[in-house]
Amino acid sequence: MKISLITVVYNGENYLQECFNSVRAQTYADIEYIVIDGGSTDRTLEIIQENRSTIDYFVSEKDKGLYDALNKGIRKATGEVVGILNADDLFAGADVLAAVAKTFINRPEIDGLYGDLNYIHPTAHHIIRTWKSKQHVYADLKKGWMPAHPTLYLKRSLFKKKGDYFLDLGTAADYELVLRYFYTHKIEAVYMPVLMVNMRTGGISNSSFRSRIAAFVDDYKALKRNSVSYPLFVVMRKKLSKLSQF
């Protein structure tokens, strides 16, 4: 089973090599690695060129942001399953993609899977938060639950049938896709109890008070778009649920 793995990057010289190293360390061989660069002006392109033997497809051009770049990667993907690894994140172990492939092979009826994630300090690598997930049920989505997006692996056919990331919802584009797939279309996805990704803290949606407010509003819009009842209550529960991760 071929897994298409997408890394999106823009001026990511600080951590990109560590990301590439963790991909290269994977024991699973049938990986199609796609790197989409947004027109970086630092050493990112040099680092990419130094790692071209690991990369199957690469393009560098201006885009409309993270989710536009992800959509580009999805459209270039040829694997049965698609996943992402952010440019400043790391796989938590060498067997993560082997576990992903094994789960899809053993459970051919599923549409997707997700697992656990640690938030780590950008340089010291110590754990700041732990996102331990669970096997979801439909009602969980109405309580603000969502899987950790960097651990989400989906069959590529889903993107063709149910659409990719919408670009009008800011940083909530991943939440909207989860709601659309899990809540509106009720795909069959399973929880894989594996620590999959070490994610550095400091994401765009948490960079300032203004960005947090914007993220709250966009989450609300994503819930409304997917006809989730009591969207204000749900988005508040979604934000409060993060407290349990510390």
Side-chain angles (χ1 to χ4, degrees):
M1 173 177 285
K2 184 193 295 185
I3 297 175
S4 293
L5 181 69
I6 302 169
T7 291
V8 168
V9 62
Y10 177 70
N11 287 348
E13 64 179 2
N14 291 337
Y15 307 119
L16 184 59
Q17 186 60 58
E18 289 183 77
C19 172
F20 286 162
N21 291 344
S22 77
V23 174
R24 189 178 292 113
Q26 291 301 297
T27 59
Y28 190 69
D30 199 0
I31 303 170
E32 176 185 54
Y33 192 31
I34 297 169
V35 177
I36 309 294
D37 175 73
S40 292
T41 57
D42 63 358
R43 288 190 60 252
T44 292
L45 297 181
E46 181 182 337
I47 295 168
I48 290 170
Q49 290 302 327
E50 291 170 354
N51 290 269
R52 282 296 276 132
S53 61
T54 304
I55 300 167
D56 296 285
Y57 175 83
F58 158 65
V59 68
S60 178
E61 59 188 18
K62 289 187 177 181
D63 53 48
K64 298 175 184 176
L66 169 63
Y67 297 103
D68 181 37
L70 279 176
N71 287 342
K72 290 181 182 181
I74 291 165
R75 290 162 194 161
K76 288 294 182 181
T78 63
E80 296 171 67
V81 171
V82 176
I84 68 170
L85 183 66
N86 296 322
D88 49 0
D89 298 343
L90 309 163
F91 283 119
D95 296 324
V96 171
L97 293 185
V100 170
K102 182 179 180 181
T103 302
F104 275 104
I105 291 168
N106 290 343
R107 299 284 303 275
E109 77 281 4
I110 67 172
D111 301 300
L113 64 76
Y114 54 91
D116 298 331
L117 174 148
N118 282 339
Y119 289 91
I120 62 171
H121 186 277
T123 55
H125 285 201
H126 63 259
I127 299 171
I128 296 174
R129 289 166 54 193
T130 298
W131 190 335
K132 187 171 179 61
S133 201
K134 63 176 182 177
Q135 180 58 50
H136 79 285
V137 294
Y138 181 72
D140 290 329
L141 293 146
K142 295 188 287 186
K143 299 175 183 176
W145 175 88
M146 73 172 289
H149 183 243
T151 73
L152 185 61
Y153 284 74
L154 298 164
K155 286 186 174 174
R156 183 166 57 91
S157 57
L158 282 174
F159 296 101
K160 293 184 177 181
K161 295 175 183 176
K162 310 195 184 300
D164 49 21
Y165 294 94
F166 294 159
L167 304 185
D168 63 336
L169 289 174
T171 59
D174 54 2
Y175 185 42
E176 192 285 326
L177 183 134
V178 166
L179 290 171
R180 186 171 6 121
Y181 284 14
F182 284 67
Y183 183 84
T184 301
H185 295 291
K186 299 180 177 62
I187 68 167
E188 185 165 357
V190 297
Y191 167 54
M192 188 175 72
V194 172
L195 177 60
M196 298 176 67
V197 175
N198 287 322
M199 180 178 182
R200 286 183 168 89
T201 55
I204 297 172
S205 63
N206 296 310
S207 58
S208 67
F209 178 75
R210 179 176 293 181
S211 64
R212 290 189 178 109
I213 294 298
F216 187 100
V217 172
D218 288 336
D219 282 353
Y220 177 83
K221 291 177 180 177
L223 289 157
K224 289 280 288 183
R225 182 170 296 181
N226 286 277
S227 302
V228 181
S229 302
Y230 307 108
L232 183 60
F233 172 75
V234 174
V235 73
M236 290 178 66
R237 289 198 62 171
K238 178 176 180 285
K239 302 301 182 184
L240 290 171
S241 68
K242 295 181 180 181
L243 296 175
S244 65
Q245 297 171 1
F246 289 91

